[in-house]
Amino acid sequence: MPTEPAKLLYVVNIPRFFLSHRLPLALAAVAEGFDVHVAASDVDPAAAARITAAGLPFHPLPLSQHGLNPLRELRSIIALQRLYASLKPDLLHHVSIKPVIYGGIAAKLSRRRAVVQAMSGLGYLHVSQERRAKLLERLSRPAFRLALSGAGARMIFQNPDDRQVFVDRGLIAASKTVVIRGSGVDEREFAPQLEDTTSMPVALFAGRLLWQKGIGDFVEVARRLQGRARFRVVGYEERTSPSNVPAAQLQAWHDAEIIEWIGQSDNMAQDYSECNIVCLPSTYGEGVPKTLIEAAACGRACVTTDTPGCREIVRHEVNGLLVPANDLDALTAAVSRLIDNPELRQRYGAKGREIALQGFTARQVAGETIALYRSLLDASR
């Protein structure tokens, strides 16, 4: 008799993140014969509907992305445990801090053995120097150790620096980790287009509107280099984040003619084709920023910080320029240099395309991840 397909359940904070960062992987798993389900917060019905329209059953959860109300957090764990007990997935894939901790605990309660834990970056909790974040990080360590324990658990990191942080803190053994770089890019959709070198250059910031992503530094560079380039911002708010930059602030900068505020985009490939430089001065604690992978695939020179994750895809003086975090003078000088040198931009862009194709395509990421799935399923049988 034919065997039932392995049931794979993704658990993420919010449906929108799944659509932007995990949908191609999930569809690749479907093509490989997995029965794929998705569980996420119940706050975004439109995004949830898009997941369902893609053919993936969606399971809403009472899961807040940034909240810390103890009763609500306990409710999230109980809801996950009940879902696992009823759905009986053969394999779980948790993405980001809350799903990793709460899902890992719920997996133990419901005796799910094959568990993939994934950090898409260390984020606010592990990187911020604020006293609150440092306290929460220390308090979270026992929960991480519990959630990451078990013979059938493996953890994916997007860069080796993040993995080393977890290993050094005693949260997980190195033997139970794997590095898979980023969430991948469709190199056919994000393909090089010739730069417009006849008009004033355009520097682009793309991503979530968070102070830690460097939007404030980008705007200050725009002030300093006003008249030499156009500075464009594409992105969306994350209102529940303590680092959120309100859209009203972006509109004020736009009205003052410091930047061009575009808002959220549904065609990022087009946005990259219309710019000359991509700038992401992030201090966020990135995994490998999707913006920089897409920009490299599109053949655009990048300026970013010399920080974990960012330096995985941007190599200094190879496909872009790396600058120290929070160094406005260095950031301004790097952007200025690329504004003045179209030949250098084009050389960096061509090399960036090569780097993206060598290790950052969606097909490569899916292949490595699905191989991990199969190894865990084989071990759990």
Side-chain angles (χ1 to χ4, degrees):
M1 292 183 63
T3 60
E4 289 289 320
K7 188 176 293 183
L8 166 61
L9 174 63
Y10 289 94
V11 182
V12 300
N13 276 325
I14 55 176
R16 183 180 63 201
F17 174 84
F18 177 83
L19 289 169
S20 62
H21 287 74
R22 291 295 183 274
L23 180 59
L25 171 60
L27 295 179
V30 170
E32 289 292 319
F34 286 84
D35 177 16
V36 178
H37 295 243
V38 181
S41 165
D42 56 6
V43 299
D44 190 348
R50 289 177 59 193
I51 293 171
T52 303
L56 307 176
F58 180 80
H59 305 272
L61 292 170
L63 184 64
S64 66
Q65 188 174 7
H66 298 289
L68 291 173
N69 181 292
L71 291 178
R72 181 171 181 129
E73 303 313 294
L74 178 61
R75 182 177 169 224
S76 298
I77 296 173
I78 292 171
L80 282 164
Q81 190 273 329
R82 287 175 175 169
L83 175 63
Y84 297 173
S86 63
L87 190 62
K88 294 181 171 54
D90 301 290
L91 178 65
L92 294 163
H93 188 147
H94 304 136
V95 184
S96 74
I97 290 175
K98 281 193 178 183
V100 163
I101 293 178
Y102 300 171
I105 294 171
K108 292 183 181 304
L109 294 172
S110 56
R111 298 184 180 181
R112 298 294 98 193
R113 292 188 293 172
V115 182
V116 174
Q117 307 277 39
M119 295 296 287
S120 52
L122 296 189
Y124 168 80
L125 186 65
H126 290 269
V127 173
S128 174
Q129 296 303 303
E130 295 177 12
R131 289 178 60 187
R132 177 175 179 268
K134 288 183 176 181
L135 176 61
L136 288 173
E137 188 279 316
R138 287 194 173 276
L139 291 174
S140 72
R141 290 186 187 188
F144 266 116
R145 292 188 185 102
L146 175 62
L148 300 178
S149 63
R154 293 293 183 273
M155 191 161 201
I156 297 173
F157 294 92
Q158 293 193 357
N159 65 70
D161 299 272
D162 290 357
R163 173 169 67 178
Q164 198 60 46
V165 168
F166 267 60
V167 171
D168 288 347
R169 290 176 179 172
L171 304 181
I172 192 169
S175 60
K176 296 175 66 177
T177 69
V178 61
V179 174
I180 298 177
R181 297 185 297 175
S183 52
V185 65
D186 183 340
E187 74 278 13
R188 295 159 297 183
E189 177 183 0
F190 292 90
Q193 301 289 336
L194 289 177
E195 278 189 52
D196 177 4
T197 57
T198 63
S199 305
M200 184 180 290
V202 174
L204 175 69
F205 174 100
R208 289 178 292 161
L209 302 178
L210 301 176
W211 291 112
Q212 290 174 319
K213 288 278 189 178
I215 183 66
D217 286 355
F218 181 82
V219 172
E220 180 56 31
V221 171
R223 290 183 200 273
R224 294 183 179 191
L225 300 179
Q226 200 163 22
R228 294 182 52 202
R230 295 160 59 192
F231 289 81
R232 187 172 294 164
V233 176
V234 174
Y236 55 87
E237 286 189 81
E238 192 168 282
R239 295 179 183 176
T240 59
S241 170
S243 186
N244 182 57
V245 182
Q249 177 62 75
L250 273 295
Q251 188 62 49
W253 286 326
H254 175 90
D255 293 343
E257 299 185 349
I258 301 167
I259 61 165
E260 299 173 7
W261 161 230
I262 305 300
Q264 188 168 352
S265 172
D266 294 322
N267 190 350
M268 285 305 305
Q270 181 68 26
D271 294 313
Y272 293 124
S273 74
E274 294 174 355
C275 80
N276 306 82
I277 302 159
V278 172
C279 180
L280 184 73
S282 178
T283 59
Y284 177 71
E286 306 282 358
V288 181
K290 191 166 182 278
T291 291
L292 296 180
I293 298 174
E294 292 172 347
C298 288
R300 289 300 179 258
C302 299
V303 178
T304 190
T305 47
D306 188 6
T307 54
C310 295
R311 58 177 171 247
E312 285 297 301
I313 179 65
V314 177
R315 289 84 186 269
H316 188 56
E317 299 282 7
V318 176
N319 66 316
L321 299 172
L322 295 174
V323 301
N326 300 311
D327 189 332
L328 270 168
D329 290 340
L331 181 66
T332 304
V335 174
S336 177
R337 182 180 170 197
L338 290 180
I339 288 172
D340 291 339
N341 198 330
E343 293 81 10
L344 183 64
R345 294 198 307 263
Q346 290 162 17
R347 187 167 79 244
Y348 286 171
K351 194 63 181 178
R353 175 70 176 179
E354 289 180 22
I355 291 170
L357 294 181
Q358 287 166 3
F360 294 90
T361 69
R363 282 178 289 181
Q364 289 165 316
V365 168
E368 293 174 30
T369 307
I370 291 171
L372 177 62
Y373 292 166
R374 296 200 185 283
S375 70
L376 288 178
L377 288 171
D378 289 345
S380 69
R381 292 191 176 104

